[in-house]
Amino acid sequence: MNNAQPQKNSPAERVQQSLKKRYRAEARFRAFGAFSVILGLAALLVLFVKIISSGIGAFQQTYIKLDLAYDESVLGISDPRDEDQLAVANFEGAIRAALLTRFPSVTARSDKRALYSMVSIAAAFELQDELRHAPDLLNKRRQYWLLADDDLDTYFKSLKAGDPYLGRVSPQQVEWITSLIEAGEVRKQFNRRFFTSGDSAEAEMAGILGALIGSLLTLAVTLVLSFPIGVGAAIYLEEYAPANKFTDFIEVNINNLAAVPSVIFGLLGLAIFLNMFGMPRSVPLVGGLVLTLMTLPTIIISSRAAIKSVPQSIRDAALGMGASKMQLILHHVLPLAMPGMLTGAIIGMAQALGETAPLLMIGMVAFIVDIPGSIDDPATVLPVQIFLWADSPERAFVERTSAAIMVLLGFLIAMNALAIWLRQHLEKRW
Amino acid sequence: MNLSPDDRAELKYKTVGEKFSETPKLKIRGLNVSYAEKQAIFDVNLDIGSNEVIAMIGPSGCGKSTFLRCINRMNDTVDSCRVEGSIQLDDMEICDDKVDVVPLRARVGMVFQKPNPFPKSIYDNVAYGPRIHGLASRRSELDGLVETSLRRAGLWDEVKDRLLQPGTSLSGGQQQRLCIARTIAVSPEVILMDEPCSSLDPIATAKIEELIAELSENFTIAIVTHSMQQAARVSRRTAYFHLGQLIEVNDTQHVFTNPDHQLTEAYITGRFG
Ligand SMILES: Nc1ncnc2c1ncn2[C@@H]1O[C@H](COP(=O)(O)OP(=O)(O)OP(=O)(O)O)[C@@H](O)[C@H]1O
Ligand SMILES: [Mg+2]
């Protein structure tokens, strides 16, 4: 080469020249990586800002102040300590009376109905609860903050934002609300109900707890089933299975299963668990079973990778000491592979947590008000709840949808934090 | 074993020297080993005497490790590996599929080329063998076993205050001595060492060599080494392997001063290796 093309520059100079080009390429390469990271972060930021700004409102709820009396005559009871009497007591009557006292000019039937609808029906239950705990309040007159209806709530919140949203609020109601606001008798309060109750047709009463518990129960079933089975399968495939065509076939199919759309697992669950075994619909048990089918491939694949990464030298050391296969696995392979297996399990669980489609198939989309107490109570899960609320026409459900997404994300973050903690904790022991 | 014509052509050397021993601990007869299609050991016959240190030398890839790993059946872990022939430990046949490798490996311990302590505490490393084989019934007994093993491995004074720290926190030489302590904790009869000093510096190497000399009072030791000086220092007999065949086995002195076989001479004079 040197002979064919006599060169002017010495090799050192040529290196110097090519260096500039290399550095430029290097800088471009780095810039591209940094750009990708920034783009990802920006997308995440936009998502968070959007969700938080539209969901934050759901954590507060509008209340109306009313002068209210637990009149024996209005409630129609004599002894508030008697549970039977409390159950039939006419608290709504008391609220209506208080509303009419506040707005004495309202007389027409339809106007009255419009007036009554400004207070949520949940208010009556709150009053009932209070009287149960403080029976002395009977026949006393006090000022109460009563939960407002969701239409009023939406109007009041949008008023503060400077862009009143009327929705189903009539001009007449606007008049009443304005008078209440001017008198300082409307305020927002922390929405405890959102975290303590299940779904409801009334937006102001709807809470996330039912779906949260449903998700927890479903995930518990999934984890309890898929982790041991997945790890067991991975151990067998890695440590015991003979290397033959059949094992290869199984391996290929596990990899394929990981790519099957989740809705298919829902259909499978419907056909097997509900139709063949006659299990109940809409319960976390069946949801967990279906999600187990879905997460198993993920857990098996990551567990196998974790087992593979245990160094051969450790295996040699254990076997050379005369450890049996089982001792090798229990004493050395599993502890070393555990962090990796847990990571896989958490990824699988995170997928399962966000899964909607397969659960729709087995009826976990039902409207369920009660908070599930066990894995065979009808329940729904967070993503399905989000789906249901996103589909509701009431404006108040819009902010609840975002709030539910925040809860779901919080759940995910908590799960990942737990995984990281577990991993560090387990690794520290070694 | 069905040898292909090519293999037969290769099998042209007869082992020279003193293959047999008057007090054999291990009797190896007609040992052939192959990986899938490729044969790695050809018809090896050798005795390893009681409480002797025998060194295995030879060029890279000549089958020293393969040979050593036959003696505690570690080749079982390699799927493609086929072993034929006979190895007797005292009167027990090792090369029999029916033989349980667990008690065998308690009798024939192994120290590997790269120090491979378990990622556990120093104490647990040494206590591992006695624990799985049920050698100590009480904690105090186990403590004693751990201490004597570490003492015999010449490590006790260096680690006695940090027994609960991970074994992987030790230096390379200390790790290797920890592995030796771990091996002798189950009181094996034979210790196999596959290049135990190849990743160590000269000082750590000297310590291990000293240790081998001490251990030879109680154990039969077979050591693979690439260092002829090391073989000369620690062993009584030396076996020279070449392309899977045992070329010569003789007193170490004899091998290094006046080898019987020309291949051995070529190797020790550095003409290849
Ligand atoms: N696991 C294996 N699979 C296939 N062939 C192997 C395997 N291990 C060793 N061999 C082959 O067997 C022959 C002997 O290998 P071995 O490891 O016993 O050599 P060695 O003498 O220990 O070499 P070195 O001094 O480099 O450690 C080599 O040709 C090697 O390629
Ligand atoms: Mg080797």
Side-chain angles (χ1 to χ4, degrees):
Chain A
M1 209 159 100
N2 279 355
N3 299 341
Q5 254 186 0
Q7 64 208 7
K8 293 180 219 129
N9 302 330
S10 72
E13 275 172 54
R14 288 205 296 172
V15 166
Q16 208 58 45
Q17 280 167 359
S18 77
L19 219 50
K20 265 189 217 131
K21 218 171 120 192
R22 261 192 284 174
Y23 284 154
R24 268 202 310 271
E26 181 110 14
R28 272 200 304 276
F29 192 59
R30 249 182 52 185
F32 179 71
F35 175 72
S36 311
V37 170
I38 289 169
L39 202 69
L41 282 180
L44 203 67
L45 194 72
V46 168
L47 180 82
F48 272 30
V49 167
K50 171 83 181 68
I51 287 173
I52 291 176
S53 66
S54 62
I56 197 86
F59 297 126
Q60 292 206 313
Q61 203 59 29
T62 307
Y63 284 72
I64 301 174
K65 188 156 96 172
L66 279 181
D67 212 20
L68 190 134
Y70 286 117
D71 263 339
E72 253 183 32
S73 55
V74 181
L75 295 179
I77 61 169
S78 54
D79 182 8
R81 285 175 187 82
D82 182 353
E83 204 44 53
D84 292 339
Q85 286 195 24
L86 260 187
V88 296
N90 185 9
F91 289 100
E92 254 169 71
I95 295 170
R96 288 176 181 180
L99 278 169
L100 287 178
T101 321
R102 175 67 179 76
F103 298 102
S105 58
V106 179
T107 46
R109 262 181 85 94
S110 62
D111 290 354
K112 278 183 181 174
R113 205 176 302 132
L115 182 64
Y116 298 158
S117 75
M118 297 203 335
V119 173
S120 164
I121 56 168
F125 295 112
E126 275 175 4
L127 291 178
Q128 186 188 37
D129 254 4
E130 194 182 43
L131 192 58
R132 183 179 292 127
H133 290 119
D136 296 341
L137 287 178
L138 191 68
N139 289 329
K140 299 234 168 73
R141 173 169 288 277
R142 253 184 67 187
Q143 290 193 324
Y144 288 100
W145 287 98
L146 295 177
L147 183 64
D149 187 62
D150 61 314
D151 290 321
L152 197 153
D153 175 64
T154 311
Y155 174 76
F156 182 60
K157 282 173 181 166
S158 60
L159 209 56
K160 287 228 161 147
D163 174 24
Y165 176 83
L166 277 176
R168 287 184 302 189
V169 183
S170 65
Q172 212 178 4
Q173 284 175 318
V174 171
E175 221 172 274
W176 294 327
I177 297 164
T178 315
S179 118
L180 282 170
I181 294 174
E182 276 161 6
E185 289 167 344
V186 183
R187 73 166 186 204
K188 286 193 288 182
Q189 233 167 266
F190 176 65
N191 185 6
R192 233 189 55 216
R193 192 180 292 272
F194 183 72
F195 298 100
T196 56
S197 57
D199 197 8
S200 169
E202 304 294 329
E204 74 275 11
M205 293 167 68
I208 196 72
L209 187 67
L212 191 66
I213 301 278
S215 268
L216 267 175
L217 290 172
T218 309
L219 279 191
V221 172
T222 310
L223 185 66
V224 162
L225 289 176
S226 63
F227 192 61
I229 297 177
V231 168
I235 288 175
Y236 181 80
L237 288 173
E238 275 307 311
E239 304 284 342
Y240 289 104
N244 58 24
K245 286 251 160 60
F246 185 64
T247 311
D248 290 348
F249 177 76
I250 291 179
E251 202 175 325
V252 168
N253 277 294
I254 288 175
N255 292 341
N256 282 342
L257 271 185
V260 168
S262 57
V263 66
I264 310 276
F265 288 109
L267 284 170
L268 188 75
L270 176 64
I272 294 180
F273 300 126
L274 298 192
N275 295 346
M276 251 170 72
F277 295 149
M279 290 179 170
R281 293 175 69 82
S282 320
V283 299
L285 175 64
V286 179
L289 283 169
V290 167
L291 292 180
T292 297
L293 295 180
M294 198 198 80
T295 23
L296 259 182
T298 312
I299 294 188
I300 293 177
I301 291 170
S302 62
S303 297
R304 289 187 67 179
I307 292 174
K308 271 206 190 91
S309 71
V310 174
Q312 182 63 35
S313 65
I314 295 295
R315 292 168 185 275
D316 283 348
L319 291 176
M321 289 302 300
S324 65
K325 190 103 192 187
M326 196 179 92
Q327 286 170 329
L328 167 68
I329 292 168
L330 292 184
H331 299 162
H332 303 285
V333 174
L334 275 187
L336 287 177
M338 196 47 78
M341 290 176 165
L342 280 179
T343 310
I346 291 292
I347 292 172
M349 290 299 114
Q351 267 175 12
L353 176 62
E355 210 46 76
T356 321
L359 300 180
L360 301 186
M361 292 290 135
I362 55 148
M364 287 191 89
V365 68
F367 171 70
I368 289 147
V369 176
D370 290 330
I371 291 163
S374 71
I375 54 170
D376 53 0
D377 282 349
T380 187
V381 293
L382 285 171
V384 174
Q385 188 69 76
I386 291 167
F387 168 78
L388 284 172
W389 283 349
D391 218 25
S392 300
E394 285 94 338
R395 173 77 172 217
F397 276 120
V398 173
E399 60 180 20
R400 277 181 165 64
T401 306
S402 292
I405 292 173
M406 282 156 73
V407 171
L408 180 67
L409 288 177
F411 196 150
L412 260 176
I413 291 169
M415 237 163 73
N416 281 329
L418 178 75
I420 291 170
W421 182 81
L422 265 178
R423 214 157 50 200
Q424 283 174 349
H425 194 71
L426 282 174
E427 269 172 355
K428 228 179 262 165
R429 274 183 34 213
W430 292 92
Chain B
M1 166 131 323
N2 291 323
L3 296 182
S4 67
D6 275 358
D7 291 337
R8 286 203 184 283
E10 276 191 53
L11 222 181
K12 53 194 172 201
Y13 305 110
K14 262 180 71 106
T15 309
V16 298
E18 283 298 320
K19 288 187 282 190
F20 303 119
S21 158
E22 278 165 21
T23 53
K25 184 77 189 167
L26 285 157
K27 281 186 279 192
I28 297 133
R29 295 290 179 270
L31 189 71
N32 284 287
V33 185
S34 53
Y35 293 103
E37 296 303 302
K38 186 179 178 307
Q39 186 153 2
I41 295 281
F42 297 87
D43 193 33
V44 168
N45 295 281
L46 180 69
D47 278 356
I48 297 178
S50 227
N51 288 16
E52 87 166 342
V53 180
I54 184 168
M56 252 69 75
I57 59 170
S60 189
C62 68
K64 306 178 297 289
S65 299
T66 304
F67 173 73
L68 207 63
R69 289 162 59 92
C70 288
I71 302 175
N72 67 346
R73 294 268 303 268
M74 278 304 275
N75 282 330
D76 286 15
T77 59
V78 181
D79 281 338
S80 65
C81 187
R82 294 279 163 279
V83 179
E84 285 178 38
S86 151
I87 300 177
Q88 284 190 318
L89 173 63
D90 292 333
D91 287 324
M92 186 179 86
E93 174 60 51
I94 292 175
C95 291
D96 183 343
D97 284 345
K98 289 191 208 69
V99 168
D100 188 354
V101 296
V102 167
L104 169 68
R105 287 174 188 159
R107 291 178 69 186
V108 183
M110 185 157 196
V111 177
F112 296 83
Q113 178 170 358
K114 231 183 81 206
N116 56 355
F118 298 128
K120 298 176 190 271
S121 71
I122 294 171
Y123 183 95
D124 285 338
N125 261 285
V126 183
Y128 186 69
R131 273 188 183 135
I132 60 171
H133 295 299
L135 298 185
S137 47
R138 284 190 320 273
R139 177 74 192 202
S140 58
E141 212 176 326
L142 192 60
D143 288 350
L145 207 48
V146 169
E147 180 174 342
T148 35
S149 306
L150 283 169
R151 274 189 196 286
R152 285 165 88 178
L155 195 59
W156 175 253
D157 290 330
E158 288 157 70
V159 302
K160 62 171 185 265
D161 301 321
R162 44 191 284 211
L163 286 177
L164 297 183
Q165 285 179 22
T168 40
S169 68
L170 297 171
S171 75
Q174 288 174 324
Q175 286 187 21
Q176 195 61 304
R177 277 180 285 150
L178 178 63
C179 292
I180 293 176
R182 179 176 71 187
T183 305
I184 59 183
V186 294
S187 310
E189 297 154 43
V190 181
I191 302 177
L192 311 172
M193 298 184 170
D194 193 350
E195 301 181 41
C197 303
S198 64
S199 61
L200 305 184
D201 68 274
I203 294 172
T205 301
K207 277 195 179 152
I208 303 244
E209 286 176 6
E210 230 171 86
L211 181 58
I212 292 171
E214 279 164 34
L215 293 176
S216 67
E217 288 171 24
N218 301 299
F219 305 95
T220 303
I221 297 175
I223 176 170
V224 170
T225 174
H226 272 287
S227 151
M228 281 174 268
Q229 291 84 348
Q230 180 168 71
R233 283 193 297 263
V234 302
S235 69
R236 198 180 68 73
R237 279 205 301 163
T238 296
Y240 173 68
F241 283 79
H242 185 88
L243 292 175
Q245 293 160 62
L246 179 55
I247 302 297
E248 171 169 357
V249 48
N250 261 321
D251 274 1
T252 301
Q253 269 285 312
H254 188 95
V255 171
F256 286 111
T257 52
N258 184 21
D260 290 343
H261 202 288
Q262 63 190 48
L263 280 174
T264 318
E265 188 178 4
Y267 181 71
I268 63 170
T269 53
R271 264 181 277 150
F272 57 78

